[in-house]
Amino acid sequence: MPLPPHGPDEVRRIAALARIRLAPGEAEPLARDFGRILGYVDRLRARDEADAVEPLVHAVPPAEPASTLRPDGPAVGPAAPLPLAQVIAAAPDHDGRLLRVPRVLEEGR
Amino acid sequence: MSARPPRLVVGVEVHVQLATRTKAFCACPVEFGAEPNALCCPVCLGHPGALPTLNRGALAAAVRAGLALGCAVAPRGAVRWDRKNYFYPDLPKGYQITQYDHPLCENGALALSDGTRVRIRRAHLEEDTGKSSHAGDGETLVDFNRCGVPLLEIVTEPDLGSAAAVEEYLRLLRDRMILAGASSCSMEKGEMRCEPNVSLVRGDGSSTGISELKNLNSFAAVRAAVAFEAKRLEEGPWHPAGAAPPRTTYGWDDAGGRTILQRTKETAADYRYFPEPDLPDLPAEALAGFVAEGRAALAAADADRSAAAGRARAEAVRLGLAADQADLLLVRDLTGGRFAAALAAAEGAGAPAAEAGPALAGWFLGPLAGWVNGRGGDWAALRASAGDLAAALGLQRTGKATAQVVKEHLLAGEWPGTGGDPAAFLAGRGLLGGAGEEAVRAACAEVVAANPDVVAKIRAGKTAARGALVGQVMKRMRGTADPGAVNRILDGLL
Amino acid sequence: MAGGLPLHALPAAALRDRIASREVSAEEAARHFLDRIARLDGGIGAFLRVDAEGALRSARASDARLDAGGAPRPLEGVPVAVKDNLNVEGLPTTCASRILEGFVAPRDATAVARLRAAGAVILGKTNLDEFAMGSSTENSAFGPTRNPRDPSRVPGGSSGGSAAAVAAGFAPLALGSDTGGSIRQPAALCGILGLKPTYGRVSRSGLVAFGSSLDQVGPLCRTAADAALALSVIAGRDPMDATSLALEAPAASLAEGGLRGMRVGVVKEHLEGEGLEPAVKAAVEAAVGVLRAGGAEVREVSLPRSGDGIAVYYLVATSEASSNLARFDGVRYGLRVEGRDLAGMYEETRDRGFGTEVKRRILLGTFALSAGYADAYYQRALRVRRLIADDLDRAFREVDVLVGPTAPTVAFPLGEKIEDPLAMYLCDVFAVTANLAGIPAVSVPCGADPAGLPAGFQVMAPALREDAALRAAAAVEAAGLLPAALPGAFA
């Protein structure tokens, strides 16, 4: 299963997806790093026996998963809501009680 | 040209807000209309170090909802949480916790009255976003109170074939959610958001693109938007059978009665779904208790509803209501108890049941239903109390206001939204007390004088033309005249 | 000074006992460490923030409690340093990144809250590689930390500030986090002990996430007994973390019990791996000798796929990180740099806020999860992760612990690997196995190279068997293989 090369254009596409700005000339060295790192991790493709097993995300799952659920009750202690003033004070910009950001132009989710 | 018209194909995606006290993944309270950003904690604000914990109540409500739709719960053996990654100011973590390939509920169905089986592909639990409002001068303001509120996303197969069927499905869905105690589904509060996907398919398999309709705030809007879009799509363009038709998002302009292009999805967004490491999978065994409790709760609700239906049938006989009236008002209770309350108040004020029942039923299913539908379809908007309505009925029964005045000036205007003494309301507008004999006589004389040609026709034997004179008199009197008196006086003049 | 050793040379448990017995007040102890930090940390850079006022306040509260006849708590008056990716209420959490500029933690991390409840005195926040991404503590937006053993060399990372603080005698105990060796590798390079507990043993609530399925909070300290004591305080189910396990915290005596009947597996691939320095190998073999002499049954064990660990780790950790770091967007807290519009604000903020290595990993993780590549990279890595965990399960049917080097080299000079990400990643080649499988692992000093630079001995145990790992580590520690000597100022 050959994969496409990971050139500067690909790096730029990924950077846009991650909302990371790349300065002019920054994509090329990153593409080189990518090439080396992905060349190294390509060893995993030789592990044919991996096809037979399920992906592992939760290495140590809880013995009783239902016990991790939270009661639908009022917040107490560290789970309580923050004071509004604290929310507003932490924000880089706000208008009254609302947080302010530059206009969201037509760009969907 | 083939004479067969293209077939309308609609699937619907609905988000209902689950009825819980706290948010899906943190303990912040869920409240409509609270002060902005007052219901937020480090978890729902996406603070560094904050972790989600699943609300047991949200899970229980989602399971009940799934069962009420005939779904299988955790058919893949386990339920999993996934992250859907995208950037948006009202999405604090930069991802939404949702369910991708191991949803909570799958493979349900609801049957419409004509027997159509609407298959429900899946229903999964996810968190809501915050609310962005776009201020005029190049900025967006964000309130995170709604962020993290539990939603159930319910997706049908494309089994709906008309705008009316879409509306019926949605009403049925809402009814099931309310029965299950899963959601109150108030569209006005945004607790039920509907997005139909509309396309046309021809006999040869060719199809139009798929229009995803958004911003539909009432059942009436859903119906109108689907009908409009079905008509608009007839112009094509058509895509051959087997090609993946393009998807385009349209908003609904309620005032203009038309859909508005929002955007074309040239490439599918890359959401980079992956399993949420912060929440353990829930194996089917862990959900068994929720399923058992959910089934018991649904059975109890069904039994309650059957008992209520029996009581409603007896009540319908006592009141002399038509079967469909009794079904809407007493069995399905679409007014949320308001009809029964008004009836009780009217009976308490001395109105006989056989008179008050049909009259109030006519009001609730006629002018008041129209008034409510014009305001998003939520009966909570009706502020006229049971006592106010009983008083209005009293005015009509005692002849202080004519049926026409009550219908046109009291139940269709601003009064339902404010309530208050109906006598005072009508008196303030000169509509109370019926018109005096002299005023009616004067109006009749004016109408006769102003229409010599009509009068001539009547005198020549065309008595049917007299209706036109009666109508003119009523109009002149703004409905306050008693039709019997008008006829009597006109007889004398002619 | 009473009892021979100066306060800063005492293990945490011994210091706590002196405070509990009123030989020394908690305030005196706090002042002693604060004074050392003020005098000596200029040349090390272990701390990003020292909270002298808060430390003295809580030390005085300990003294008042004891004055009033209150029972001393498990860490009464013990000064603790906290890695700056753990929230401490009222202090900035920086993660050594500019993007969190101005952010003050509104609440304590659970591990920090439990330390406080046990009487510990929080001294301040320690340096790290930005967002714990690195193995040298050179990737800090606020400058590198230096190794107290040789300030021209790195302390390892990413918990380099915490490791250097303990090694330099700035605190007897520190908290770190370990996603792929970030507690154990700096502990090895600084000549101290570090424990990564079982995944889920310690709550991650309040730990700024890097690789959420790998991250664990743990102690850095001088002795296995201190690690057991710290674990007994910070471990246990936390309703704020759904992945925390519903278990009682283990007893503080966890490291006791010796080696009797213990079956020890020496990981063949870890001792034969390329890049293993001969001095490190010799030190590890000496430690194996200590275990054998102490009565353990030693054999060689193969983990055939351990060579895939780094590849799996860098795909899983960066994928999760690309999502975890999306929240740093300039909207609700931290840095914002205005741009031409919303997209411009996002990009300017994240460009100025994140350092090179963080950007590199976000991009790598975004790529590994993106449409068309996720199966070949992210999903593939998770499948090999399962194979690696299965290998460990099999090995632990034969032995009680698995041992080998913590890191392939001793501390390297600042700047040596900073331009070569892959070489830096390979520092953790032996360490990542434990994170991928979620099992506990300890690094304990086992000797030094001819220049006196320490080598670390790694002991891995099955999930929830911190006791076995700590007992083996205690035996190695008791053999005194690492010369205690530090450069004059730190003695």
Side-chain angles (χ1 to χ4, degrees), chain C residues 147 153 185 227 237 267 357 377 424:
Chain C
N147 193 321
R153 291 174 185 265
Q185 185 258 12
R237 166 91 183 122
V267 181
E357 181 60 22
Y377 290 106
M424 189 71 89

Side-chain angles (χ1 to χ4, degrees), chain A residues 70 72 82 97 99 101 109, chain B residues 22-23 35 37 88 271:
Chain A
R70 176 177 58 74
D72 183 20
L82 292 170
R97 299 176 176 92
L99 303 201
V101 294
R109 50 188 91 186
Chain B
T22 63
K23 293 184 181 182
E35 196 179 9
N37 290 313
Y88 209 79
Y271 290 125

Side-chain angles (χ1 to χ4, degrees), chain B residues 407-422:
Chain B
K407 191 175 164 203
E408 289 178 4
H409 296 283
L410 197 60
L411 302 178
E414 62 191 80
W415 184 74
T418 59
D421 178 13

Side-chain angles (χ1 to χ4, degrees), chain C residues 211-381:
Chain C
S212 310
S213 77
L214 305 160
D215 297 339
Q216 227 351 240
V217 177
L220 296 100
C221 47
R222 288 217 188 76
T223 69
D226 276 1
L229 172 60
L231 187 67
S232 74
V233 167
I234 62 176
R237 166 91 183 122
D238 175 13
M240 302 287 285
D241 176 3
T243 65
S244 76
L245 299 168
L247 297 165
E248 294 291 309
S253 58
L254 210 61
E256 296 167 16
L259 296 174
R260 198 167 349 155
M262 186 180 285
R263 297 166 302 165
V264 174
V266 181
V267 181
K268 180 166 162 274
E269 290 80 3
H270 288 188
L271 270 186
E272 291 173 357
E274 52 180 313
L276 181 62
E277 284 181 0
V280 175
K281 185 172 183 180
V284 167
E285 281 166 347
V288 172
V290 166
L291 295 179
R292 190 180 284 119
E297 181 195 310
V298 178
R299 69 180 76 168
E300 191 180 76
V301 168
S302 174
L303 296 176
R305 281 167 290 222
S306 63
D308 291 345
I310 285 288
V312 172
Y313 171 77
Y314 274 92
L315 290 172
V316 174
T318 59
S319 293
E320 292 179 2
S322 72
S323 175
N324 285 330
L325 271 61
R327 67 187 60 197
F328 303 108
D329 60 4
V331 175
R332 287 150 286 113
Y333 49 77
L335 181 71
R336 172 187 295 189
V337 183
E338 297 297 347
R340 62 190 190 287
D341 57 9
L342 179 77
M345 187 277 276
Y346 280 153
E347 294 199 347
E348 292 291 335
T349 299
R350 290 164 66 80
D351 180 40
R352 291 270 201 97
F354 290 138
T356 306
E357 181 60 22
V358 172
K359 288 185 198 167
R360 181 154 45 220
R361 294 200 195 190
I362 289 174
L363 293 179
L364 185 59
T366 304
F367 170 81
L369 286 174
S370 66
Y373 298 112
D375 283 348
Y377 290 106
Y378 174 73
Q379 291 288 342
R380 188 79 180 166

Side-chain angles (χ1 to χ4, degrees), chain B residues 72-208:
Chain B
V73 176
R76 289 162 204 261
V79 164
R80 184 187 290 157
W81 310 96
D82 297 277
R83 294 186 183 179
K84 176 181 181 180
N85 295 282
Y86 65 90
F87 286 87
Y88 209 79
D90 59 21
L91 186 72
K93 301 186 294 296
Y95 57 85
Q96 178 193 33
I97 303 179
T98 178
Q99 301 191 276
Y100 184 53
D101 55 5
H102 284 64
L104 182 62
C105 306
E106 292 182 81
N107 304 327
L110 285 182
L112 303 186
S113 53
D114 67 356
T116 303
R117 189 165 172 272
V118 183
R119 291 168 297 160
I120 291 164
R121 187 186 301 164
R122 55 184 280 157
H124 72 253
L125 187 52
E126 62 183 29
E127 57 179 339
D128 207 345
T129 62
K131 230 176 202 162
S132 298
S133 46
H134 305 292
D137 37 354
E139 58 187 41
T140 296
L141 301 172
V142 196
D143 169 11
F144 292 100
N145 281 351
R146 200 182 67 182
C147 194
V149 166
L151 299 179
L152 192 70
E153 180 181 316
I154 303 159
V155 184
T156 72
E157 299 292 347
D159 288 346
L160 294 154
S162 69
V166 173
E167 183 179 354
E168 189 187 351
Y169 162 74
L170 293 173
R171 289 189 182 279
L172 198 52
L173 176 67
R174 181 173 71 168
D175 182 62
R176 299 302 289 171
M177 293 300 101
I178 291 170
L179 177 78
S183 173
S184 38
C185 286
S186 158
M187 289 181 85
E188 193 181 45
K189 292 184 190 167
E191 292 172 351
M192 182 175 184
R193 297 168 229 162
C194 314
E195 296 175 6
N197 297 332
V198 181
S199 64
L200 297 178
V201 178
R202 288 195 295 211
D204 62 1
S206 60
S207 69
T208 64

Side-chain angles (χ1 to χ4, degrees), chain A residues 13 16-19 54-55 57-58 61-62 65-76 78-84 87-88 90 94-95 97-109, chain B residues 20-24 26-27 29 35-37 40-42 45 53-56 59 86-90 129 134-135 138-144 263 270-272 275-277 279-283 290:
Chain A
R13 186 184 72 83
L17 203 51
R19 300 294 187 277
E54 285 298 304
V57 176
H58 302 283
S67 72
T68 66
L69 301 174
R70 176 177 58 74
D72 183 20
V76 286
L82 292 170
L84 177 62
V87 174
I88 297 305
H94 65 95
D95 179 357
R97 299 176 176 92
L98 296 161
L99 303 201
R100 177 157 44 197
V101 294
R103 175 95 195 216
V104 180
L105 293 173
E106 186 41 55
E107 179 176 17
R109 50 188 91 186
Chain B
T20 57
R21 276 178 286 175
T22 63
K23 293 184 181 182
C26 67
E35 196 179 9
N37 290 313
C40 304
C41 74
L45 287 172
T53 50
L54 177 60
N55 180 348
R56 169 178 290 273
L59 184 66
Y86 65 90
F87 286 87
Y88 209 79
D90 59 21
T129 62
H134 305 292
E139 58 187 41
T140 296
L141 301 172
V142 196
D143 169 11
F144 292 100
R263 72 195 149 94
D270 190 348
Y271 290 125
R272 289 159 286 137
E276 165 60 287
L279 292 168
D281 295 351
L282 291 172
F290 289 89

